[in-house]
Structure formats: structure tokens, C-alpha cells
Amino acid sequence: DAGITQSPRHKVTETGTPVTLRCHQTENHRYMYWYRQDPGHGLRLIHYSYGVKDTDKGEVSDGYSVSRSKTEDFLLTLESATSSQTSVYFCAIRFLVAGTVEGGEAFFGQGTRLTVV
Amino acid sequence: EDQVTQSPEALRLQEGESSSLNCSYTVSGLRGLFWYRQDPGKGPEFLFTLYSAGEEKEKERLKATLTKKESFLHITAPKPEDSATYLCAVPNSGGYQKVTFGTGTKLQVIP
């Protein structure tokens, strides 16, 4: 599992409350990603990080923020949760292609199922 | 716009009945194509990376192939334990940092 741990695994929260999901890795990978997965949409990138304090937006970043103060931790925050953010959230790390600084295949955490009521 | 389309959406096979899954893509300057397997309630699990047209990779009953416009995942004599959703993904035209995923093919293998 490439040493990736997501927490919590399940969460139910109320509309309008802030929520933070945590992704922890043990292998010092540079690239870390947050995706959401919804029926009919597949995996969609929310935010990613390419180093400590270096982050960038993905295709569905509105309503989400991230922080990476340490190599091993990548936090995803829903600033004010809405029902449309009910989803399964996956964290991933990417290995570098051998001999390059570019990302190759990704390894995913087990996911966090978030329900906003 | 980078796009990845997988077909069929769902496939039901009898045990031992070979078939293929398709992943077609539109991206400028392909820099690799990834195949993943996802079991219910779990994160995707990496299977293969293909980098150039004509390349093939195998793992047990799975073989992935790549052309300039699509990739196939061939499943030979599948078993019930091969039942899963299979995802393909390609790095975006702008570089490796972002990856576009297809919506997957849900495979069910019946004993």
C-alpha cells in the first residue's frame, strides 16, 4: 500500500461545517494528490502537491483547500461542507519515473467516505 | 481538452470467457498510459504503465497493449477473482503532474 494512511475512513458531517481529511505517507514521496470519486465521473483531481508548501489546483478545487507543512502529511479541508461534496475521497502518491523528476504511476490510500447531511 | 473514454461501462463474462476492455484517449503527446484495478470499497491498485505504441505488458491473465489512440486490456480465461472495476489514465498534455482518469469498466466474472 506504499505506506499511505487516510483518516478518518468514514465521516458524517453537517452542511456548513468545516471538515479536514488527512493523508499520511511514510516513504518521503514528493507528489501527493487528493481525488474525489463519484458515480459517472470517475476520479477527479481536487488538489495536488509537489513538495512542502507547494500545491496547485486540480479540476474540481472550488470549496476545497489543502496544506502540506511536512513531507509526510497532506491535508484536505472542506471550508464549509455542502451536500455536493458527499463523495469518496482518495489520497495518492506518485512515484517518479526512473531517472527523471516526472511522476509515474500512483498508489492510492483506502479512501474516506464523507457524507454531508 | 484531454479526454479518456473507457468501454464498455460494464462487462459480464462467464469464467474462462476471454474478452477485452478498451481505453481511448485524446491527449497531445502521450507520455504514458496507466491501468488500475479497483475493488469495491478500496483505492485503485496499479497494474501497468505503457509508454509507446506497440508496447505490451502482462500480468497473470491480463495483458495490456497500446496504440497511438487507444489501449486494450485483454483478459484471458478470467476467474471470479478478476471481478473489479478497471480504470485507465493518462498524464495531461501539460505534463506528468496531472492525470486524467476514465470512468472505468466494471467487470463481473461469473463462475
Side-chain angles (χ1 to χ4, degrees):
Chain A
D1 63 0
I4 304 169
T5 304
Q6 290 186 232
S7 59
R9 293 293 313 280
H10 302 271
K11 186 171 182 65
V12 179
T13 192
E14 293 186 350
T15 299
T17 59
V19 176
T20 295
L21 309 183
R22 181 180 183 238
C23 179
H24 178 79
Q25 60 146 327
T26 60
E27 299 184 359
N28 204 35
H29 293 286
R30 177 181 178 187
Y31 291 108
M32 297 184 76
Y33 296 78
W34 277 108
Y35 291 91
R36 60 178 290 174
Q37 188 173 39
D38 306 286
H41 289 279
L43 282 159
R44 292 182 291 174
L45 180 64
I46 304 171
H47 283 279
Y48 71 98
S49 170
Y50 47 97
V52 173
K53 297 187 180 179
D54 292 323
T55 64
D56 201 356
K57 296 179 180 180
E59 61 182 305
V60 290
S61 59
D62 288 347
Y64 301 94
S65 62
V66 290
S67 66
R68 193 171 179 195
S69 58
K70 298 184 291 184
T71 299
E72 58 266 35
D73 289 325
F74 191 33
L75 304 180
L76 175 71
T77 298
L78 288 65
E79 294 144 8
S80 177
T82 68
S83 59
S84 64
Q85 294 176 312
T86 292
S87 186
V88 180
Y89 291 86
F90 288 102
C91 173
I93 59 92
R94 291 183 73 189
F95 289 93
L96 296 180
V97 177
T100 77
V101 293
E102 296 185 335
E105 65 271 19
F107 286 82
F108 288 80
Q110 292 297 302
T112 295
R113 182 172 294 276
L114 177 68
T115 302
V116 183
V117 298
Chain B
E1 181 181 340
D2 299 325
Q3 286 192 334
V4 177
T5 304
Q6 292 188 245
S7 61
E9 290 186 10
L11 182 62
R12 193 176 184 190
L13 299 174
Q14 290 293 131
E15 184 172 1
E17 179 187 2
S18 301
S19 189
S20 297
L21 314 182
N22 177 264
C23 172
S24 62
Y25 58 88
T26 55
V27 62
S28 299
L30 183 68
R31 300 167 72 174
L33 183 142
F34 308 108
W35 280 99
Y36 296 86
R37 169 192 170 125
Q38 186 174 22
D39 293 302
K42 296 190 175 182
E45 175 187 350
F46 171 71
L47 291 172
F48 305 110
T49 306
L50 302 168
Y51 285 105
S52 57
E55 187 176 0
E56 298 183 353
K57 288 193 176 174
E58 290 188 62
K59 180 179 180 180
E60 296 181 354
R61 294 174 294 282
L62 301 177
K63 183 169 79 172
T65 62
L66 182 65
T67 71
K68 288 186 177 180
K69 293 188 176 182
E70 59 191 346
S71 177
F72 292 93
L73 185 65
H74 306 279
I75 303 175
T76 302
K79 298 182 178 181
E81 53 262 41
D82 295 320
S83 297
T85 297
Y86 291 86
L87 305 171
C88 71
V90 296
N92 288 12
S93 299
Y96 261 90
Q97 288 78 8
K98 299 181 183 180
V99 172
T100 297
F101 280 83
T103 53
T105 293
K106 185 175 183 179
L107 173 67
Q108 183 183 14
V109 182
I110 304 164

